[in-house]
mmCIF file of all heavy atoms in Angstrom:
data_model
loop_
_atom_site.group_PDB
_atom_site.id
_atom_site.type_symbol
_atom_site.label_atom_id
_atom_site.label_comp_id
_atom_site.label_asym_id
_atom_site.label_seq_id
_atom_site.Cartn_x
_atom_site.Cartn_y
_atom_site.Cartn_z
ATOM 1 N N MET A 1088 18.160 -11.395 -7.910
ATOM 2 C CA MET A 1088 17.598 -12.614 -8.444
ATOM 3 C C MET A 1088 16.428 -12.252 -9.344
ATOM 4 O O MET A 1088 15.597 -11.422 -8.993
ATOM 5 C CB MET A 1088 17.097 -13.482 -7.294
ATOM 6 C CG MET A 1088 16.379 -14.723 -7.745
ATOM 7 S SD MET A 1088 15.523 -15.547 -6.402
ATOM 8 C CE MET A 1088 13.844 -15.236 -6.852
ATOM 9 N N VAL A 1089 16.351 -12.852 -10.489
ATOM 10 C CA VAL A 1089 15.197 -12.710 -11.371
ATOM 11 C C VAL A 1089 14.310 -13.928 -11.141
ATOM 12 O O VAL A 1089 14.742 -15.067 -11.288
ATOM 13 C CB VAL A 1089 15.632 -12.641 -12.847
ATOM 14 C CG1 VAL A 1089 14.418 -12.609 -13.744
ATOM 15 C CG2 VAL A 1089 16.528 -11.432 -13.074
ATOM 16 N N ALA A 1090 13.082 -13.677 -10.737
ATOM 17 C CA ALA A 1090 12.134 -14.772 -10.491
ATOM 18 C C ALA A 1090 11.245 -14.937 -11.714
ATOM 19 O O ALA A 1090 10.645 -13.974 -12.183
ATOM 20 C CB ALA A 1090 11.285 -14.474 -9.264
ATOM 21 N N SER A 1091 11.144 -16.125 -12.233
ATOM 22 C CA SER A 1091 10.295 -16.373 -13.389
ATOM 23 C C SER A 1091 8.911 -16.858 -12.972
ATOM 24 O O SER A 1091 8.027 -17.009 -13.806
ATOM 25 C CB SER A 1091 10.938 -17.397 -14.311
ATOM 26 O OG SER A 1091 11.124 -18.611 -13.620
ATOM 27 N N TRP A 1092 8.710 -17.073 -11.677
ATOM 28 C CA TRP A 1092 7.412 -17.558 -11.204
ATOM 29 C C TRP A 1092 7.026 -16.831 -9.933
ATOM 30 O O TRP A 1092 7.838 -16.626 -9.038
ATOM 31 C CB TRP A 1092 7.479 -19.064 -10.921
ATOM 32 C CG TRP A 1092 6.176 -19.596 -10.422
ATOM 33 C CD1 TRP A 1092 5.151 -20.108 -11.175
ATOM 34 C CD2 TRP A 1092 5.742 -19.677 -9.058
ATOM 35 N NE1 TRP A 1092 4.113 -20.476 -10.366
ATOM 36 C CE2 TRP A 1092 4.453 -20.220 -9.043
ATOM 37 C CE3 TRP A 1092 6.302 -19.315 -7.839
ATOM 38 C CZ2 TRP A 1092 3.731 -20.434 -7.885
ATOM 39 C CZ3 TRP A 1092 5.576 -19.531 -6.688
ATOM 40 C CH2 TRP A 1092 4.309 -20.092 -6.719
ATOM 41 N N TRP A 1093 5.786 -16.426 -9.842
ATOM 42 C CA TRP A 1093 5.208 -15.844 -8.636
ATOM 43 C C TRP A 1093 3.714 -16.113 -8.674
ATOM 44 O O TRP A 1093 3.172 -16.478 -9.714
ATOM 45 C CB TRP A 1093 5.495 -14.337 -8.544
ATOM 46 C CG TRP A 1093 4.927 -13.538 -9.659
ATOM 47 C CD1 TRP A 1093 5.520 -13.292 -10.868
ATOM 48 C CD2 TRP A 1093 3.643 -12.917 -9.705
ATOM 49 N NE1 TRP A 1093 4.694 -12.541 -11.651
ATOM 50 C CE2 TRP A 1093 3.520 -12.297 -10.958
ATOM 51 C CE3 TRP A 1093 2.582 -12.811 -8.824
ATOM 52 C CZ2 TRP A 1093 2.382 -11.597 -11.336
ATOM 53 C CZ3 TRP A 1093 1.453 -12.109 -9.195
ATOM 54 C CH2 TRP A 1093 1.368 -11.509 -10.438
ATOM 55 N N THR A 1094 3.043 -15.949 -7.547
ATOM 56 C CA THR A 1094 1.602 -16.133 -7.512
ATOM 57 C C THR A 1094 0.976 -15.153 -6.536
ATOM 58 O O THR A 1094 1.578 -14.809 -5.519
ATOM 59 C CB THR A 1094 1.226 -17.583 -7.139
ATOM 60 O OG1 THR A 1094 -0.182 -17.750 -7.292
ATOM 61 C CG2 THR A 1094 1.618 -17.917 -5.716
ATOM 62 N N GLN A 1095 -0.195 -14.694 -6.882
ATOM 63 C CA GLN A 1095 -0.931 -13.820 -5.969
ATOM 64 C C GLN A 1095 -1.658 -14.716 -4.983
ATOM 65 O O GLN A 1095 -2.417 -15.610 -5.361
ATOM 66 C CB GLN A 1095 -1.920 -12.952 -6.732
ATOM 67 C CG GLN A 1095 -2.618 -11.962 -5.840
ATOM 68 C CD GLN A 1095 -3.461 -10.977 -6.629
ATOM 69 O OE1 GLN A 1095 -3.267 -10.774 -7.820
ATOM 70 N NE2 GLN A 1095 -4.404 -10.356 -5.952
ATOM 71 N N ILE A 1096 -1.419 -14.493 -3.702
ATOM 72 C CA ILE A 1096 -2.006 -15.318 -2.650
ATOM 73 C C ILE A 1096 -3.291 -14.685 -2.124
ATOM 74 O O ILE A 1096 -4.223 -15.391 -1.756
ATOM 75 C CB ILE A 1096 -0.986 -15.521 -1.508
ATOM 76 C CG1 ILE A 1096 0.237 -16.265 -2.059
ATOM 77 C CG2 ILE A 1096 -1.597 -16.252 -0.341
ATOM 78 C CD1 ILE A 1096 1.392 -16.323 -1.092
ATOM 79 N N SER A 1097 -3.346 -13.360 -2.083
ATOM 80 C CA SER A 1097 -4.502 -12.659 -1.545
ATOM 81 C C SER A 1097 -4.657 -11.317 -2.244
ATOM 82 O O SER A 1097 -3.679 -10.708 -2.656
ATOM 83 C CB SER A 1097 -4.317 -12.439 -0.039
ATOM 84 O OG SER A 1097 -5.344 -11.626 0.489
ATOM 85 N N VAL A 1098 -5.912 -10.853 -2.337
ATOM 86 C CA VAL A 1098 -6.192 -9.552 -2.930
ATOM 87 C C VAL A 1098 -6.207 -8.464 -1.851
ATOM 88 O O VAL A 1098 -5.659 -7.398 -2.026
ATOM 89 C CB VAL A 1098 -7.547 -9.572 -3.677
ATOM 90 C CG1 VAL A 1098 -7.928 -8.189 -4.172
ATOM 91 C CG2 VAL A 1098 -7.497 -10.549 -4.831
ATOM 92 N N ASN A 1099 -6.842 -8.754 -0.723
ATOM 93 C CA ASN A 1099 -6.964 -7.758 0.336
ATOM 94 C C ASN A 1099 -6.683 -8.402 1.681
ATOM 95 O O ASN A 1099 -7.562 -9.089 2.208
ATOM 96 C CB ASN A 1099 -8.352 -7.137 0.321
ATOM 97 C CG ASN A 1099 -8.475 -5.947 1.241
ATOM 98 O OD1 ASN A 1099 -7.480 -5.402 1.704
ATOM 99 N ND2 ASN A 1099 -9.696 -5.542 1.492
ATOM 100 N N PRO A 1100 -5.475 -8.249 2.212
ATOM 101 C CA PRO A 1100 -4.385 -7.435 1.695
ATOM 102 C C PRO A 1100 -3.688 -8.138 0.524
ATOM 103 O O PRO A 1100 -3.738 -9.363 0.409
ATOM 104 C CB PRO A 1100 -3.417 -7.318 2.876
ATOM 105 C CG PRO A 1100 -3.610 -8.593 3.623
ATOM 106 C CD PRO A 1100 -5.091 -8.912 3.472
ATOM 107 N N LEU A 1101 -3.029 -7.356 -0.314
ATOM 108 C CA LEU A 1101 -2.291 -7.925 -1.437
ATOM 109 C C LEU A 1101 -1.100 -8.715 -0.902
ATOM 110 O O LEU A 1101 -0.240 -8.174 -0.225
ATOM 111 C CB LEU A 1101 -1.802 -6.827 -2.376
ATOM 112 C CG LEU A 1101 -1.004 -7.308 -3.581
ATOM 113 C CD1 LEU A 1101 -1.833 -8.245 -4.452
ATOM 114 C CD2 LEU A 1101 -0.500 -6.133 -4.387
ATOM 115 N N LEU A 1102 -1.094 -10.007 -1.177
ATOM 116 C CA LEU A 1102 0.017 -10.879 -0.789
ATOM 117 C C LEU A 1102 0.511 -11.604 -2.024
ATOM 118 O O LEU A 1102 -0.274 -12.167 -2.779
ATOM 119 C CB LEU A 1102 -0.420 -11.898 0.262
ATOM 120 C CG LEU A 1102 -0.881 -11.351 1.608
ATOM 121 C CD1 LEU A 1102 -1.414 -12.480 2.477
ATOM 122 C CD2 LEU A 1102 0.255 -10.637 2.307
ATOM 123 N N ILE A 1103 1.822 -11.597 -2.232
ATOM 124 C CA ILE A 1103 2.459 -12.249 -3.369
ATOM 125 C C ILE A 1103 3.394 -13.329 -2.841
ATOM 126 O O ILE A 1103 4.112 -13.115 -1.874
ATOM 127 C CB ILE A 1103 3.279 -11.234 -4.202
ATOM 128 C CG1 ILE A 1103 2.398 -10.077 -4.678
ATOM 129 C CG2 ILE A 1103 3.991 -11.907 -5.356
ATOM 130 C CD1 ILE A 1103 1.316 -10.451 -5.645
ATOM 131 N N GLY A 1104 3.390 -14.498 -3.470
ATOM 132 C CA GLY A 1104 4.278 -15.588 -3.083
ATOM 133 C C GLY A 1104 5.329 -15.844 -4.142
ATOM 134 O O GLY A 1104 5.033 -15.829 -5.337
ATOM 135 N N VAL A 1105 6.564 -16.029 -3.704
ATOM 136 C CA VAL A 1105 7.681 -16.372 -4.587
ATOM 137 C C VAL A 1105 8.441 -17.512 -3.924
ATOM 138 O O VAL A 1105 8.710 -17.458 -2.727
ATOM 139 C CB VAL A 1105 8.630 -15.162 -4.802
ATOM 140 C CG1 VAL A 1105 9.805 -15.550 -5.664
ATOM 141 C CG2 VAL A 1105 7.883 -13.997 -5.412
ATOM 142 N N SER A 1106 8.788 -18.525 -4.673
ATOM 143 C CA SER A 1106 9.553 -19.645 -4.132
ATOM 144 C C SER A 1106 11.024 -19.502 -4.486
ATOM 145 O O SER A 1106 11.359 -19.174 -5.627
ATOM 146 C CB SER A 1106 9.041 -20.969 -4.697
ATOM 147 O OG SER A 1106 7.740 -21.225 -4.247
ATOM 148 N N VAL A 1107 11.884 -19.744 -3.505
ATOM 149 C CA VAL A 1107 13.330 -19.726 -3.710
ATOM 150 C C VAL A 1107 13.887 -21.022 -3.126
ATOM 151 O O VAL A 1107 13.695 -21.308 -1.943
ATOM 152 C CB VAL A 1107 13.994 -18.508 -3.031
ATOM 153 C CG1 VAL A 1107 15.495 -18.523 -3.248
ATOM 154 C CG2 VAL A 1107 13.386 -17.208 -3.532
ATOM 155 N N SER A 1108 14.575 -21.784 -3.928
ATOM 156 C CA SER A 1108 15.133 -23.061 -3.492
ATOM 157 C C SER A 1108 16.223 -22.855 -2.436
ATOM 158 O O SER A 1108 17.061 -21.956 -2.573
ATOM 159 C CB SER A 1108 15.722 -23.790 -4.691
ATOM 160 O OG SER A 1108 16.403 -24.957 -4.272
ATOM 161 N N PRO A 1109 16.244 -23.666 -1.378
ATOM 162 C CA PRO A 1109 17.289 -23.570 -0.356
ATOM 163 C C PRO A 1109 18.704 -23.763 -0.902
ATOM 164 O O PRO A 1109 19.668 -23.334 -0.270
ATOM 165 C CB PRO A 1109 16.945 -24.685 0.626
ATOM 166 C CG PRO A 1109 15.498 -24.926 0.436
ATOM 167 C CD PRO A 1109 15.242 -24.666 -1.025
ATOM 168 N N GLU A 1110 18.849 -24.361 -2.073
ATOM 169 C CA GLU A 1110 20.165 -24.559 -2.664
ATOM 170 C C GLU A 1110 20.716 -23.287 -3.305
ATOM 171 O O GLU A 1110 21.895 -23.217 -3.625
ATOM 172 C CB GLU A 1110 20.138 -25.675 -3.718
ATOM 173 C CG GLU A 1110 19.948 -27.072 -3.150
ATOM 174 C CD GLU A 1110 18.489 -27.402 -2.873
ATOM 175 O OE1 GLU A 1110 17.604 -26.843 -3.549
ATOM 176 O OE2 GLU A 1110 18.225 -28.201 -1.960
ATOM 177 N N ARG A 1111 19.878 -22.286 -3.505
ATOM 178 C CA ARG A 1111 20.289 -21.049 -4.164
ATOM 179 C C ARG A 1111 20.958 -20.092 -3.185
ATOM 180 O O ARG A 1111 20.577 -19.997 -2.025
ATOM 181 C CB ARG A 1111 19.088 -20.346 -4.810
ATOM 182 C CG ARG A 1111 18.383 -21.184 -5.834
ATOM 183 C CD ARG A 1111 19.260 -21.357 -7.024
ATOM 184 N NE ARG A 1111 18.581 -22.130 -8.057
ATOM 185 C CZ ARG A 1111 19.204 -22.670 -9.056
ATOM 186 N NH1 ARG A 1111 20.506 -22.539 -9.186
ATOM 187 N NH2 ARG A 1111 18.542 -23.365 -9.946
ATOM 188 N N TYR A 1112 21.945 -19.361 -3.690
ATOM 189 C CA TYR A 1112 22.624 -18.361 -2.866
ATOM 190 C C TYR A 1112 21.633 -17.290 -2.392
ATOM 191 O O TYR A 1112 21.721 -16.796 -1.267
ATOM 192 C CB TYR A 1112 23.764 -17.724 -3.663
ATOM 193 C CG TYR A 1112 24.546 -16.698 -2.884
ATOM 194 C CD1 TYR A 1112 25.288 -17.070 -1.762
ATOM 195 C CD2 TYR A 1112 24.526 -15.364 -3.254
ATOM 196 C CE1 TYR A 1112 26.010 -16.133 -1.037
ATOM 197 C CE2 TYR A 1112 25.244 -14.418 -2.543
ATOM 198 C CZ TYR A 1112 25.977 -14.809 -1.431
ATOM 199 O OH TYR A 1112 26.677 -13.881 -0.714
ATOM 200 N N THR A 1113 20.659 -16.958 -3.240
ATOM 201 C CA THR A 1113 19.637 -15.975 -2.882
ATOM 202 C C THR A 1113 18.891 -16.386 -1.620
ATOM 203 O O THR A 1113 18.550 -15.550 -0.783
ATOM 204 C CB THR A 1113 18.644 -15.797 -4.051
ATOM 205 O OG1 THR A 1113 19.368 -15.345 -5.195
ATOM 206 C CG2 THR A 1113 17.545 -14.810 -3.716
ATOM 207 N N TYR A 1114 18.640 -17.669 -1.457
ATOM 208 C CA TYR A 1114 17.951 -18.175 -0.267
ATOM 209 C C TYR A 1114 18.739 -17.816 0.996
ATOM 210 O O TYR A 1114 18.175 -17.321 1.976
ATOM 211 C CB TYR A 1114 17.764 -19.688 -0.380
ATOM 212 C CG TYR A 1114 17.062 -20.304 0.802
ATOM 213 C CD1 TYR A 1114 15.672 -20.339 0.854
ATOM 214 C CD2 TYR A 1114 17.778 -20.855 1.859
ATOM 215 C CE1 TYR A 1114 15.022 -20.914 1.937
ATOM 216 C CE2 TYR A 1114 17.133 -21.427 2.939
ATOM 217 C CZ TYR A 1114 15.756 -21.456 2.978
ATOM 218 O OH TYR A 1114 15.114 -22.012 4.042
ATOM 219 N N LYS A 1115 20.027 -18.042 0.951
ATOM 220 C CA LYS A 1115 20.879 -17.724 2.108
ATOM 221 C C LYS A 1115 20.846 -16.230 2.417
ATOM 222 O O LYS A 1115 20.795 -15.817 3.575
ATOM 223 C CB LYS A 1115 22.302 -18.204 1.863
ATOM 224 C CG LYS A 1115 22.423 -19.716 1.784
ATOM 225 C CD LYS A 1115 23.815 -20.121 1.319
ATOM 226 C CE LYS A 1115 23.935 -21.596 1.123
ATOM 227 N NZ LYS A 1115 23.197 -22.137 -0.011
ATOM 228 N N LEU A 1116 20.877 -15.396 1.378
ATOM 229 C CA LEU A 1116 20.823 -13.953 1.572
ATOM 230 C C LEU A 1116 19.486 -13.524 2.180
ATOM 231 O O LEU A 1116 19.438 -12.673 3.071
ATOM 232 C CB LEU A 1116 21.038 -13.223 0.248
ATOM 233 C CG LEU A 1116 22.424 -13.360 -0.386
ATOM 234 C CD1 LEU A 1116 22.445 -12.674 -1.751
ATOM 235 C CD2 LEU A 1116 23.489 -12.771 0.520
ATOM 236 N N LEU A 1117 18.405 -14.115 1.707
ATOM 237 C CA LEU A 1117 17.081 -13.794 2.249
ATOM 238 C C LEU A 1117 16.967 -14.196 3.716
ATOM 239 O O LEU A 1117 16.370 -13.477 4.522
ATOM 240 C CB LEU A 1117 15.985 -14.478 1.432
ATOM 241 C CG LEU A 1117 15.746 -13.922 0.035
ATOM 242 C CD1 LEU A 1117 14.808 -14.830 -0.751
ATOM 243 C CD2 LEU A 1117 15.199 -12.514 0.094
ATOM 244 N N LYS A 1118 17.527 -15.328 4.071
ATOM 245 C CA LYS A 1118 17.485 -15.792 5.459
ATOM 246 C C LYS A 1118 18.256 -14.853 6.385
ATOM 247 O O LYS A 1118 17.850 -14.626 7.528
ATOM 248 C CB LYS A 1118 18.033 -17.216 5.578
ATOM 249 C CG LYS A 1118 17.191 -18.286 4.925
ATOM 250 C CD LYS A 1118 15.873 -18.485 5.618
ATOM 251 C CE LYS A 1118 16.087 -19.323 6.858
ATOM 252 N NZ LYS A 1118 14.854 -19.682 7.539
ATOM 253 N N LYS A 1119 19.358 -14.287 5.894
ATOM 254 C CA LYS A 1119 20.194 -13.399 6.704
ATOM 255 C C LYS A 1119 19.608 -11.987 6.814
ATOM 256 O O LYS A 1119 19.868 -11.279 7.779
ATOM 257 C CB LYS A 1119 21.605 -13.308 6.117
ATOM 258 C CG LYS A 1119 22.436 -14.564 6.319
ATOM 259 C CD LYS A 1119 23.734 -14.522 5.572
ATOM 260 C CE LYS A 1119 24.667 -13.462 6.089
ATOM 261 N NZ LYS A 1119 26.003 -13.531 5.466
ATOM 262 N N SER A 1120 18.820 -11.593 5.834
ATOM 263 C CA SER A 1120 18.312 -10.228 5.765
ATOM 264 C C SER A 1120 17.015 -10.058 6.556
ATOM 265 O O SER A 1120 16.235 -10.997 6.706
ATOM 266 C CB SER A 1120 18.051 -9.861 4.305
ATOM 267 O OG SER A 1120 17.503 -8.577 4.217
ATOM 268 N N SER A 1121 16.784 -8.854 7.037
ATOM 269 C CA SER A 1121 15.522 -8.585 7.732
ATOM 270 C C SER A 1121 14.478 -7.994 6.780
ATOM 271 O O SER A 1121 13.305 -7.896 7.141
ATOM 272 C CB SER A 1121 15.764 -7.627 8.901
ATOM 273 O OG SER A 1121 16.285 -6.396 8.422
ATOM 274 N N THR A 1122 14.882 -7.590 5.582
ATOM 275 C CA THR A 1122 13.955 -7.018 4.605
ATOM 276 C C THR A 1122 14.319 -7.440 3.189
ATOM 277 O O THR A 1122 15.440 -7.841 2.918
ATOM 278 C CB THR A 1122 13.962 -5.474 4.648
ATOM 279 O OG1 THR A 1122 15.263 -5.012 4.312
ATOM 280 C CG2 THR A 1122 13.573 -4.944 6.012
ATOM 281 N N PHE A 1123 13.366 -7.338 2.286
ATOM 282 C CA PHE A 1123 13.606 -7.542 0.864
ATOM 283 C C PHE A 1123 12.487 -6.849 0.096
ATOM 284 O O PHE A 1123 11.474 -6.457 0.668
ATOM 285 C CB PHE A 1123 13.715 -9.026 0.491
ATOM 286 C CG PHE A 1123 12.425 -9.792 0.629
ATOM 287 C CD1 PHE A 1123 11.598 -9.967 -0.463
ATOM 288 C CD2 PHE A 1123 12.056 -10.331 1.843
ATOM 289 C CE1 PHE A 1123 10.408 -10.663 -0.340
ATOM 290 C CE2 PHE A 1123 10.869 -11.040 1.980
ATOM 291 C CZ PHE A 1123 10.042 -11.202 0.881
ATOM 292 N N ALA A 1124 12.650 -6.685 -1.200
ATOM 293 C CA ALA A 1124 11.653 -6.033 -2.039
ATOM 294 C C ALA A 1124 11.378 -6.877 -3.265
ATOM 295 O O ALA A 1124 12.243 -7.611 -3.742
ATOM 296 C CB ALA A 1124 12.141 -4.657 -2.475
ATOM 297 N N ILE A 1125 10.169 -6.768 -3.755
ATOM 298 C CA ILE A 1125 9.785 -7.419 -5.005
ATOM 299 C C ILE A 1125 9.330 -6.309 -5.948
ATOM 300 O O ILE A 1125 8.497 -5.479 -5.588
ATOM 301 C CB ILE A 1125 8.639 -8.432 -4.797
ATOM 302 C CG1 ILE A 1125 9.075 -9.542 -3.858
ATOM 303 C CG2 ILE A 1125 8.185 -8.994 -6.131
ATOM 304 C CD1 ILE A 1125 7.978 -10.516 -3.521
ATOM 305 N N ASN A 1126 9.887 -6.272 -7.144
ATOM 306 C CA ASN A 1126 9.518 -5.281 -8.150
ATOM 307 C C ASN A 1126 8.919 -5.999 -9.345
ATOM 308 O O ASN A 1126 9.472 -6.998 -9.815
ATOM 309 C CB ASN A 1126 10.745 -4.486 -8.594
ATOM 310 C CG ASN A 1126 11.336 -3.711 -7.448
ATOM 311 O OD1 ASN A 1126 10.701 -2.807 -6.923
ATOM 312 N ND2 ASN A 1126 12.537 -4.060 -7.055
ATOM 313 N N PHE A 1127 7.809 -5.474 -9.848
ATOM 314 C CA PHE A 1127 7.149 -6.071 -10.998
ATOM 315 C C PHE A 1127 7.282 -5.145 -12.205
ATOM 316 O O PHE A 1127 7.077 -3.941 -12.094
ATOM 317 C CB PHE A 1127 5.668 -6.321 -10.712
ATOM 318 C CG PHE A 1127 5.448 -7.412 -9.720
ATOM 319 C CD1 PHE A 1127 5.332 -7.132 -8.373
ATOM 320 C CD2 PHE A 1127 5.388 -8.731 -10.135
ATOM 321 C CE1 PHE A 1127 5.147 -8.144 -7.450
ATOM 322 C CE2 PHE A 1127 5.206 -9.752 -9.226
ATOM 323 C CZ PHE A 1127 5.085 -9.453 -7.879
ATOM 324 N N LEU A 1128 7.613 -5.716 -13.344
ATOM 325 C CA LEU A 1128 7.736 -4.980 -14.582
ATOM 326 C C LEU A 1128 6.335 -4.699 -15.134
ATOM 327 O O LEU A 1128 5.477 -5.583 -15.147
ATOM 328 C CB LEU A 1128 8.531 -5.802 -15.591
ATOM 329 C CG LEU A 1128 8.900 -5.155 -16.907
ATOM 330 C CD1 LEU A 1128 9.793 -3.942 -16.675
ATOM 331 C CD2 LEU A 1128 9.624 -6.161 -17.781
ATOM 332 N N VAL A 1129 6.113 -3.460 -15.588
ATOM 333 C CA VAL A 1129 4.839 -3.099 -16.203
ATOM 334 C C VAL A 1129 4.688 -3.905 -17.490
ATOM 335 O O VAL A 1129 5.639 -4.038 -18.271
ATOM 336 C CB VAL A 1129 4.795 -1.586 -16.501
ATOM 337 C CG1 VAL A 1129 3.500 -1.197 -17.193
ATOM 338 C CG2 VAL A 1129 4.978 -0.802 -15.215
ATOM 339 N N VAL A 1130 3.508 -4.455 -17.734
ATOM 340 C CA VAL A 1130 3.268 -5.348 -18.867
ATOM 341 C C VAL A 1130 3.693 -4.744 -20.201
ATOM 342 O O VAL A 1130 4.227 -5.445 -21.053
ATOM 343 C CB VAL A 1130 1.782 -5.765 -18.920
ATOM 344 C CG1 VAL A 1130 1.467 -6.536 -20.180
ATOM 345 C CG2 VAL A 1130 1.433 -6.599 -17.697
ATOM 346 N N LYS A 1131 3.544 -3.445 -20.389
ATOM 347 C CA LYS A 1131 3.887 -2.844 -21.689
ATOM 348 C C LYS A 1131 5.363 -2.952 -22.021
ATOM 349 O O LYS A 1131 5.755 -2.772 -23.173
ATOM 350 C CB LYS A 1131 3.425 -1.390 -21.756
ATOM 351 C CG LYS A 1131 4.196 -0.428 -20.903
ATOM 352 C CD LYS A 1131 3.650 0.987 -21.082
ATOM 353 C CE LYS A 1131 4.481 1.992 -20.334
ATOM 354 N NZ LYS A 1131 3.993 3.350 -20.540
ATOM 355 N N TYR A 1132 6.200 -3.266 -21.062
ATOM 356 C CA TYR A 1132 7.637 -3.403 -21.307
ATOM 357 C C TYR A 1132 8.070 -4.857 -21.561
ATOM 358 O O TYR A 1132 9.235 -5.125 -21.800
ATOM 359 C CB TYR A 1132 8.440 -2.841 -20.153
ATOM 360 C CG TYR A 1132 8.253 -1.353 -19.988
ATOM 361 C CD1 TYR A 1132 7.653 -0.838 -18.860
ATOM 362 C CD2 TYR A 1132 8.670 -0.469 -20.980
ATOM 363 C CE1 TYR A 1132 7.467 0.527 -18.711
ATOM 364 C CE2 TYR A 1132 8.484 0.890 -20.856
ATOM 365 C CZ TYR A 1132 7.882 1.381 -19.708
ATOM 366 O OH TYR A 1132 7.686 2.722 -19.578
ATOM 367 N N ILE A 1133 7.157 -5.775 -21.526
ATOM 368 C CA ILE A 1133 7.481 -7.183 -21.729
ATOM 369 C C ILE A 1133 7.278 -7.526 -23.200
ATOM 370 O O ILE A 1133 6.197 -7.315 -23.753
ATOM 371 C CB ILE A 1133 6.608 -8.095 -20.837
ATOM 372 C CG1 ILE A 1133 6.815 -7.730 -19.364
ATOM 373 C CG2 ILE A 1133 6.919 -9.564 -21.096
ATOM 374 C CD1 ILE A 1133 5.870 -8.438 -18.420
ATOM 375 N N LYS A 1134 8.322 -8.078 -23.840
ATOM 376 C CA LYS A 1134 8.227 -8.470 -25.244
ATOM 377 C C LYS A 1134 7.215 -9.603 -25.414
ATOM 378 O O LYS A 1134 7.122 -10.496 -24.576
ATOM 379 C CB LYS A 1134 9.581 -8.957 -25.767
ATOM 380 C CG LYS A 1134 10.495 -7.875 -26.192
ATOM 381 C CD LYS A 1134 11.725 -8.510 -26.835
ATOM 382 C CE LYS A 1134 12.577 -7.457 -27.481
ATOM 383 N NZ LYS A 1134 13.708 -8.053 -28.192
ATOM 384 N N ASN A 1135 6.489 -9.578 -26.528
ATOM 385 C CA ASN A 1135 5.578 -10.648 -26.921
ATOM 386 C C ASN A 1135 4.473 -10.904 -25.916
ATOM 387 O O ASN A 1135 4.008 -12.034 -25.781
ATOM 388 C CB ASN A 1135 6.345 -11.953 -27.177
ATOM 389 C CG ASN A 1135 7.417 -11.789 -28.224
ATOM 390 O OD1 ASN A 1135 7.214 -11.099 -29.204
ATOM 391 N ND2 ASN A 1135 8.563 -12.389 -28.013
ATOM 392 N N CYS A 1136 4.031 -9.885 -25.192
ATOM 393 C CA CYS A 1136 2.951 -10.103 -24.232
ATOM 394 C C CYS A 1136 1.594 -9.772 -24.835
ATOM 395 O O CYS A 1136 0.575 -9.968 -24.190
ATOM 396 C CB CYS A 1136 3.188 -9.286 -22.953
ATOM 397 S SG CYS A 1136 2.965 -7.518 -23.202
ATOM 398 N N GLY A 1137 1.579 -9.241 -26.058
ATOM 399 C CA GLY A 1137 0.320 -8.947 -26.722
ATOM 400 C C GLY A 1137 -0.247 -7.577 -26.422
ATOM 401 O O GLY A 1137 -1.352 -7.262 -26.824
ATOM 402 N N SER A 1138 0.484 -6.730 -25.687
ATOM 403 C CA SER A 1138 -0.016 -5.387 -25.392
ATOM 404 C C SER A 1138 0.649 -4.352 -26.265
ATOM 405 O O SER A 1138 1.762 -4.449 -26.640
ATOM 406 C CB SER A 1138 0.259 -5.044 -23.932
ATOM 407 O OG SER A 1138 -0.435 -5.906 -23.094
#
């Protein structure tokens, strides 16, 4: 799943929040799984970000 929205919830410890709608297939997969990962793209690889 590509998430277009996330938010930093805490700095120490670092906590990131991502919302996934219950209607999405990804939601069902997350509920069934015991683990998941979030990967962030380095800003220099994003087009039109000004860097």
